[in-house]
Amino acid sequence: MAFRVLMVCARYLPDMGGIEMHVYEVARRLAASSEFEITILSTDRSRSRPADEVVDGVRILRVPAWPKNRDYYFAPAVSGVVGQPQRWDLVHCQGIHTPVPILAMRAAKRVGLPYVVTFHTGGHTLRHRNALRSVQWRLVGPMLKQADSLIAVSQFEAAQLATQAHLGATPIKVIRNGGTLPALPPGTQAVPGRIVSPGRLERYKGHHRVIEALPHVLRGVPEAHLVILGRGSYEAELRSLAERLNVADRVTIGHVEPADRTGMAVTLGQASVVAAFSDYEAHPVAVMEALSVGRPVVGYASSGIGELVTEGLVAGVTPGTPAAEAAGQLLQAMTRPSSRTLPEMPTWDTAAGQIAMVYRNVLHSRQAVSALGTTS
């Protein structure tokens, strides 16, 4: 009989983002085995999505959430769904940045269900919200210490949470995001001068920095142009900036549907260089995807991107670097691509396999404790 796992996340497809993509990729791989029966519990602020559906072999439950137009989510129905021990063998909280996982952890603890937490920390456009992150992690620390297993997506994130959530010697397993995309269709080539900047349209994602660098890039590569790949509330500001810098005709803003993996592969495969100028990424999925299709990446040498810079996978730009110097890095990457051989990188298959091992260890440990209690 398959183990019944409930994955809890504040947002899920068709919402797009790193956590959503991580859950999509690992959940369907785990569900494809006969070992696990995966159900995703997410929220729906729009009240327009199916409350119960099956996609790619994974059942998706959605409960209402408030408020409608904010990035924090209060969804009281989460507790009721989690708190049914006859339905689930294990709860996996994906992300800790909203009240949703807190409700899930408390409900699991209340009914005696084992729970696993993957941090998936992220940045925020508002400075005061970023400043409150360390307080937020400290407050959630006691619930994290009671988890059956903790997972970070990078060594950077593991170290940060260990310190800011006061986790002490609590073990944290690092399982990095995969970056696997379908093989590029024959004939797919980098478009000369094309810069692709993927990520939600929020200020902290750094798309504005790529626009600011573009006029300088154009001096070295006259055919240079920028494709911003994402959706979000910051689009108007980005378009306005492009107008002010007289590069509006060189900037395109679009998106690829999250489930269109071939479309994402082609879009990234057509880049001469991929820019990742985000203030904060725990372990950027889009960067891993760009590397997986063999495209050079220039990124801010901080947070999880900085870890990839240290490993030699990404060309680093120091945060705060003037636009002209950042442009120089982009020019070098697009006109003189590295001939180095990249080391073997994590894939979604390896990530799912490592998560499956965590589930087995937690469930077998619980079973052993239960058996011991029965015989004593």
Side-chain angles (χ1 to χ4, degrees):
M1 182 176 178
F3 291 117
R4 300 162 301 173
V5 178
L6 180 68
M7 283 191 184
V8 183
C9 52
R11 304 192 335 158
Y12 189 62
L13 306 185
D15 292 326
M16 61 184 295
I19 300 177
E20 294 84 346
M21 190 51 58
H22 174 103
V23 174
Y24 169 74
E25 293 287 4
V26 301
R28 63 196 182 99
R29 284 171 168 79
L30 291 168
S33 75
S34 58
E35 189 176 3
F36 302 104
E37 178 184 300
I38 305 295
T39 300
I40 293 172
L41 173 61
S42 190
T43 68
D44 178 18
R45 294 176 297 168
S46 70
R47 316 291 194 278
S48 65
R49 294 170 183 168
D52 189 342
E53 66 175 338
V54 176
V55 178
D56 290 335
V58 178
R59 188 178 183 190
I60 305 164
L61 305 177
R62 295 185 180 89
V63 296
W66 295 267
K68 187 174 182 179
N69 298 312
R70 293 290 185 270
D71 65 344
Y72 45 88
Y73 301 73
F74 183 66
V78 165
S79 295
V81 177
V82 175
Q84 301 176 42
Q86 72 279 7
R87 295 183 67 183
W88 323 114
D89 296 308
L90 182 146
V91 175
H92 186 172
C93 298
Q94 297 274 13
I96 59 171
H97 56 294
T98 75
V100 169
I102 308 300
L103 292 171
M105 284 186 270
R106 286 180 174 173
K109 188 70 178 175
R110 185 175 64 251
V111 298
L113 281 170
Y115 66 90
V116 172
V117 181
T118 301
F119 301 138
H120 292 301
T121 54
H124 200 279
T125 295
L126 299 177
R127 289 184 179 180
H128 73 276
R129 291 284 294 278
N130 278 322
L132 287 172
R133 290 297 196 204
S134 60
V135 176
Q136 183 178 350
W137 305 153
R138 187 168 68 250
L139 291 175
V140 78
M143 292 299 298
L144 295 178
K145 286 183 177 181
Q146 297 178 67
D148 291 75
S149 186
L150 297 176
I151 302 172
V153 295
S154 64
Q155 296 291 348
F156 159 80
E157 185 182 57
Q160 181 189 58
L161 262 294
T163 300
Q164 295 187 351
H166 296 180
L167 298 179
T170 305
I172 301 173
K173 184 173 182 61
V174 175
I175 299 177
R176 302 174 77 180
N177 290 320
T180 315
L181 286 171
L184 291 174
T188 304
Q189 295 183 354
V191 177
R194 178 165 296 179
I195 306 168
V196 174
S197 181
R200 291 193 311 277
L201 305 187
E202 299 185 37
R203 183 174 175 82
Y204 87 91
K205 289 293 187 178
H207 299 299
H208 62 287
R209 300 184 180 110
V210 191
I211 293 176
E212 290 167 349
L214 186 55
H216 304 280
V217 175
L218 283 164
R219 294 169 190 163
V221 178
E223 69 270 28
H225 55 284
L226 170 62
V227 175
I228 297 175
L229 209 57
R231 289 172 168 169
S233 58
Y234 199 52
E235 180 173 349
E237 287 85 348
L238 292 172
R239 292 192 183 280
S240 177
L241 175 62
E243 290 280 358
R244 293 198 304 273
L245 295 178
N246 297 315
V247 292
D249 61 331
R250 300 301 185 100
V251 176
T252 301
I253 299 177
H255 74 280
V256 176
E257 291 298 330
D260 184 3
R261 301 285 75 205
T262 298
M264 179 60 75
V266 170
T267 302
L268 291 174
Q270 291 175 336
S272 287
V273 63
V274 173
F277 288 3
S278 176
D279 290 327
Y280 186 99
E281 299 291 336
H283 189 252
V285 172
V287 170
M288 300 303 292
E289 291 177 338
L291 293 171
S292 78
V293 296
R295 295 305 180 250
V297 179
V298 176
Y300 256 29
S302 63
S303 62
I305 298 176
E307 192 169 300
L308 298 176
V309 171
T310 300
E311 294 175 12
L313 297 172
V314 171
V317 174
T318 302
T321 293
E325 293 181 27
Q329 291 275 46
L330 293 169
L331 278 166
Q332 180 174 336
M334 74 165 61
T335 57
R336 288 183 292 173
S338 174
S339 59
R340 60 188 167 82
T341 301
L342 293 176
E344 185 176 349
M345 293 185 296
T347 67
W348 289 120
D349 287 336
T350 59
Q354 290 172 338
I355 291 170
M357 184 60 70
V358 170
Y359 291 171
R360 292 186 199 107
N361 290 340
V362 168
L363 290 164
H364 292 162
S365 177
R366 280 293 185 109
Q367 288 173 344
V369 170
S370 177
L372 184 61
T374 301
T375 57
S376 62

